Amino acid sequence: MCDSVDEVTRAVLAKNDGLAAGLREALARRGVSVVNLLSSPGSGKTELLGRVLARAVERSLPVAALTADLATENDAGRLARSGAPVKQLLTDGLCHLEARQLRGHVESWLPEGTSLLFVENVGNLVCPASYDLGESLRVVLMAVTEGEDKPLKYPTAFGSAHLVVLTKTDLAGPAGFDEAAFETNVQRVNPGVEVLRSCARTGAGVDALLERVLAVRDGAPVHRPPLAPRPHTHGHSHSHSHTDTHEGAEAGLVP
């Protein structure tokens, strides 16, 4: 039974990878870069993204955003205050986005001339980590209130990130957050990845994040994470593991 389930999972992911590769090529022809934002619920992802979008609008950058949730259009309303084109994607219970869903919205909605599309994935660090969306940049966000061992608990997500963003840094003191331990844990699962510190309340890190994204859009090299998927690599096969603990153990990341 387990072998059968694994085979089905592999087939689903293989199909998604094929769709993602085709979407990436189609977007590249249109000059569009996709930024896939992953985090747990409550990380401050929506607030930070809203600040980034507002700054992009101020600079007249051709930016848009898709935001995914199981239900409600609350986040789309919040992000729309930035002045950027925003679309809500409801998954009807699905805990992650897939390339086919993104492709449908890109084909039917993405404004002409957009060169930068932010995708706010469902709040979850497990399922979304295995699905390539055809992104140019995968950003994993974590709040200081979540604990410095989070990267070790979710090695698939953190190990596949091109960039890690630490949020709510103004709460690091009250939360007793050990930043040195966090940095060590991030580097353990993803050696060499940059950690960007941010605080949406004060605006810290907003410009830095936007500049990182724009640099990738304009062809800057992207960090190569140790775990698949590797969305920036064209023409390479993707080998997914489907359990955080299993993948972490294989990579020597968890006991």
Side-chain angles (χ1 to χ4, degrees), residues 195-210:
V195 177
L196 181 66
R197 286 143 183 87
S198 71
C199 175
R201 186 179 65 82
T202 65
V206 170
D207 288 315
L209 178 54
L210 181 56

Side-chain angles (χ1 to χ4, degrees), residues 77-128:
R78 292 170 63 190
L79 293 177
R81 297 171 195 158
S82 68
V86 177
K87 174 80 170 178
Q88 182 76 50
L89 197 163
L90 297 180
T91 66
D92 296 322
L94 193 64
C95 63
H96 60 273
L97 287 180
E98 297 180 7
R100 62 177 176 82
Q101 297 167 299
L102 183 60
R103 183 180 66 178
H105 282 74
V106 165
E107 292 174 348
S108 64
W109 169 78
L110 189 66
E112 190 66 31
T114 299
S115 67
L116 190 57
L117 174 62
F118 286 91
V119 178
E120 184 181 22
N121 217 313
V122 180
N124 187 334
L125 283 176
V126 181
C127 303

Side-chain angles (χ1 to χ4, degrees), residues 23-35:
L23 178 59
R24 183 177 293 108
E25 292 175 1
L27 289 170
R29 288 194 296 270
R30 292 177 58 177
V32 181
S33 291
V34 175
V35 182

Side-chain angles (χ1 to χ4, degrees), residues 217-230:
R217 183 200 65 176
D218 295 337
V222 179
H223 167 72
R224 290 178 177 260
L227 301 182
R230 296 181 180 179

Side-chain angles (χ1 to χ4, degrees), residues 35-72:
V35 182
N36 183 9
L37 303 174
L38 281 70
S39 78
S40 301
S43 69
K45 177 168 78 266
T46 305
E47 186 66 23
L48 181 61
L49 176 56
R51 292 292 190 103
V52 171
L53 291 173
R55 193 62 51 85
V57 170
E58 288 174 6
R59 295 173 54 178
S60 300
L61 297 171
V63 64
L66 278 169
T67 180
D69 275 306
L70 277 67
T72 82

Side-chain angles (χ1 to χ4, degrees), residues 138-140 156-164 190 193 223-225 227:
R138 174 174 291 204
V139 181
V140 175
T156 304
F158 284 89
S160 64
H162 301 114
L163 176 67
V164 173
N190 195 341
V193 71
H223 167 72
R224 290 178 177 260
L227 301 182

